[in-house]
Amino acid sequence: MVSRFRLVFALVVVSGFLPVASAPAFASLFSFGGSQQVRASLVALDESVQPGGTVTVAFKLEHAPRWHTYWINAGTGLPTTIAWELPEGWRAGEIQWPVPSPIKDHQGNITGNGYDDVVYLPVTLTAPANLAPGTTITLKGRADWLMCADVCEPGGADVSVTLPVLAAAPKPSALRAKVFATPPMPEKTGSARVTASRAPGAKSVTLVFSPSPVSANDAAPHFFGLDALIQYDQAQSAKIENGALSLTLPVSDSYDGDGRRLAGVLAFTDAKDVWRGYDIDVVIGDSDDAAGAGAGKSSATTAGASAGSAGEIAGTLLLAFVGGLILNLMPCVFPVLGIKILGFVNQAGASRRKVTLHGIAFTVGVLVSFWALAGLLAVLRAGGEQLGWGFQLQSPVFVFALAALLLIFAMSMSGVFEFGLSATSVGGGLQTKGGYAGSFFTGVLATVVATPCSAPFLAPALGAALAMSTGESFFVFTAIALGLSTPYLLLSIFPGAVKVLPRPGAWMETFKQAMAFPLYATVGYLVWVLAGQLSENGLLMALFAFVLVALGVWFYGRYAAPGNSSRRKTIGIAGALVCLLLGGLLGWPRAAAPTDIVWEKWSPAAVASAQTSGKTVYVDFTARWCATCQANKKLVFSSDEVNRVFRNKNIVALKADWTNKDAQITAELAKFGRSAVPFNLVYKPGEPEPVVLPELLTPGIVLDALK
C-alpha cells in the first residue's frame, strides 16, 4: 500500500511538469493487445529447488510500444520494486539490473534511465534447509512500477511461480541464457584500465576506459550513474585517442554527497550491434586537467606522468639508491661486508683484476635478483583487476593493506620480532663456492641473506613501485640493487679500504630501531589518507584492525622467538595468524554498495523540507566519541532489510553530528528533554510529532517505527 502511494505521489509530481495528454496519447493507454500497457510475470531460471540452495527467478516486464519502466537510478521517475511474500525461512536478494537505455522524449531530450520492449529483472532466492524433496513450492511477490509514455501512471501485479523441490542441485532452465541477454547484464571490466578524475571546482568528471570498447564509427557510449553525482539528462561528450575511450560527464548542481566515487554502468553498442555495458566503480582522483586523463594513457602511465617530471623521477631514483646503501648498515648485513670482500681476495689471490671481476659478478647477481623481483611484481600487476594499478593509492583496500604491511615492518625494526633469522645461515654455504659463478650466486642470494633487515626497507620500495609504470618500477629496483651492491663493488676495487670500516657494535641495533620511526610516520600518513576514503564506521574498524595486526606481531615475537620450545612457537604462530585474519576481516575496506543509506546533514530546515514533500524522515543524533552510537549504527544499518526499507520507502536519513560543540543540536536535544546521545527520531508524513526511539536500537525496533 505504501509502495502504491509513493508511485501515485510521484505520478502527481511528474505529471505536473507534463502537458495535458492528447487524445491519441490517451488512447495508447490501452494499446497492448487489449491488455494493460506493461504485462508482468515471474519466470524461473532454474528447473527445481534444492533444500538449503539457491534458485534464480526473474521478474519479466513486457512493454507496449512507446511505454517504458525505470532502472534503479531512474532520473525522472521511480525504479521497479518487488515486495516478496515468501514462505518461512526463505531469503530474497536484490534485483540484478540489466544494462539500461536512455529514455528520450519526442524532441530527443533524455528524461530518465530505463527499459522498453521486454526486460527481465533476475533475483536470487535462498531456500531453507528443511524443505522436503518431492514436494512443490510457490514463490510469490508483489511488483510495483511506474510506467510512462506521453503520460505516466503507476502499475503493479501479483506474480508467482511454482517449482518442484528435489534433493539434487537444480538444472538451469532453457530461458536462463535469454534472460541474461535481454538486455544483457553489465560485465566486469576485467583487465581494462578504468580511471576517473575531476579538476578542483570542475563541473565534470572525466572517465577513461582503455582499451576502448567501441570504435570511432560506433554509436556514442553512455554512462548511467548509480547516484545523483552525474546529471542524467545532460549531454556526455566522448572521444577516442590512442585506443582509449574518454567520456566527459556533467556533475549535477544539486548533488550534495562527497563525490569520491564514480559508480554506475558504461553502456555502448558493440560491433555486433548489441547494447552492452560494464560495471564501473572507481575512486575519483584530483586532476588539474581532467581532460588530460582522457588522452588514452593507461592508468599506470597517467599516474607515472603525474608523478612525472624528469627531475622528480631522478629524485625518486636517488632516494632508492640511498635506501639500498642504508641496507648495508643493518646488523645482519654490515658485519659480513668485510668477510665477503676477503672471500673474494682469497678466491682470486693477489690479482686485483680478478678481485674486481668477482665484485662485478657479485653486483650482477644482486641486480638479477632485484630484476626478478620487479618482474614478479609486473606479472602480479598484469593479473590484477586493473592492469597497471594506476591511482591505486585512491583505493582504500590498497592503502589499508600497505599501512598494515608497513606497521608489521616497523614493529620488526623496533625489535618486537625479527624476520627469518635462519636466512643468515645461507651465507656460510655460499662462501664455499668458487669461481665467478660462485660470486654471482652469492650476489643473487645476498638479498635473501639480508632479508631479516632489508624487508622493512623493501616494503616502501614495493609500495612506491606499485604507483609507477612497469618501466619506472624496474628503474627503482635497479637503483636499490645498485645501492646495496655499491659497497661490495668499491671494496673489491679497493680491498684495502676494509680496514677503515667502523667496527660492528651496538650502534647498528640503535640505528635499526631509529629507522622504524619513518615507517611509523608513513603508517600515520596512510591512516590520514584512509580517513578521507572511508566512512566514519569504516575508519573505526580499520583502526581496530591495526590494533589486531600489532597484537598478532606481538604474539609472534613473544612466543615464536628463536630458542623457544616448539609448543611456544606453535602458540606464537597460531596467535599471530588468528589476529591477522581477524584484523583483515574487521578492517578490510569494502566498497559502498548502491543500496547503502546516504546520510545528509541534519538541520531543522532539512526536516521541514522533507516533511513538506510528504517523506518519512529518520534523524540520528550521534557523535564519534559515543560508543553506543557506533554500536547502534553497526547493528542496525548493516541489516539488508533496514537498508531495503529505507530505499523502497524513499526515507530521508539525516545525521546530527555532535562530535564537536553545536549549539543548534544542543538546543534540539533540549526540546525533547535530552542532553546526551544517542537519540533517534522518526518523522512520519502527516504527523507533526516524531516517534522517539530508545537509546539501544535493533533492526526490529527501527523497522517497527517505520511502519
Side-chain angles (χ1 to χ4, degrees), residues 400 540-550 579 582-584 586-588:
F400 172 81
L540 181 62
M541 294 301 103
L543 293 175
F544 285 152
F546 292 141
V547 174
L548 284 171
V549 169
C579 290
L582 290 177
L586 180 68
W588 196 259

Side-chain angles (χ1 to χ4, degrees), residues 49-55 86-92 125-133 137 139 165-166:
V49 177
Q50 184 182 33
T54 60
V55 60
L86 300 173
E88 184 177 355
W90 281 78
R91 290 183 289 111
L125 308 176
T126 302
N130 59 358
L131 293 182
I137 194 76
L139 307 173
V165 178
L166 301 177

